[in-house]
Amino acid sequence: MDVMILIGSPSDQEIVKDALDTLKAFDVPFALEVTSAHRSPDRTVELVRRGEAEGTEVFIAVAGKAAHLGGVVAAHTTRPVIGVPVESGGLGGLDALLSTVQMPRGVPVATMGTGKTGAANAALLAVQILAVKNAGLRRKLAEFKGRLAAQVEADSEKVKQGQ
Ligand code: RP5
């Protein structure tokens, strides 16, 4: 699997729906596992080791509250780790954002925005990392960006017609 997505809890499942669809749309093989930096630390490390052995090139860690999943994964691999903070606590995701983004020097976690959009962007960033060595993915990404731009033009027309 090129990408391994780790979510901290089944309650994070909804957050990664669009991210999974994104990876499917680009035909990128991925694995999805539930594991927690705090509740199942040994399983987390085992999954990173297994992912590395099976050819995972990018890890995505999705977690809320005191979100240390990305950091723990990054501590155990030299592959790029993308972190997605989840808005699951009473602090609106700021807790998870700061826990994920404020890594000590030497152990980076590429931290996305919070929630579903952050997760979808994590999937896209993973595709972009894989695309560095994959011309087919670069072509698909260029087409994707073309569709985004065309959508903005179509939206602008609709807005103007509504005036
Ligand atoms: C984190 O705590 C999970 O990633 C989840 O976002 C949050 C709440 O988990 P549950 O208590 O719903 O399992 O570890």
Side-chain angles (χ1 to χ4, degrees):
M1 300 297 163
D2 292 350
V3 177
M4 180 177 276
I5 303 180
L6 303 174
I7 58 176
S9 164
S11 63
D12 298 328
Q13 228 175 319
E14 187 60 26
I15 301 294
V16 292
K17 238 167 144 266
D18 295 347
L20 305 187
D21 288 344
T22 299
L23 293 173
K24 285 178 196 161
F26 282 92
D27 288 321
V28 169
F30 66 88
L32 173 67
E33 300 279 353
V34 179
T35 193
S36 164
H38 307 115
R39 294 169 176 159
S40 63
D42 292 344
R43 171 177 165 75
T44 300
V45 176
E46 279 159 27
L47 283 167
V48 174
R49 301 249 185 276
R50 194 201 302 169
E52 282 201 339
E54 292 177 357
T56 295
E57 296 195 41
V58 184
F59 290 91
I60 297 175
V62 180
K65 297 189 173 162
H68 297 134
L69 189 55
V72 168
V73 172
H76 290 90
T77 184
T78 55
R79 311 280 154 83
V81 178
I82 305 172
V84 181
V86 175
E87 300 146 346
S88 57
L91 299 178
L94 185 60
D95 43 1
L97 173 63
L98 297 180
S99 303
T100 305
V101 78
Q102 283 290 53
M103 289 298 295
R105 183 181 295 207
V107 191
V109 172
T111 304
M112 302 291 101
T114 59
K116 281 184 159 200
T117 297
N121 274 345
L124 272 176
L125 182 57
V127 173
Q128 289 177 325
I129 291 168
L130 296 171
V132 170
K133 295 269 171 69
N134 184 322
L137 282 182
R138 285 201 294 279
R139 188 177 34 75
K140 286 183 191 173
L141 281 164
E143 288 165 4
F144 170 77
K145 287 211 182 269
R147 286 196 297 278
L148 280 186
Q151 185 62 54
V152 172
E153 281 185 41
D155 289 343
S156 182
E157 279 312 308
K158 259 190 230 161
V159 167
K160 278 189 277 186
Q161 278 162 22
Q163 294 301 300

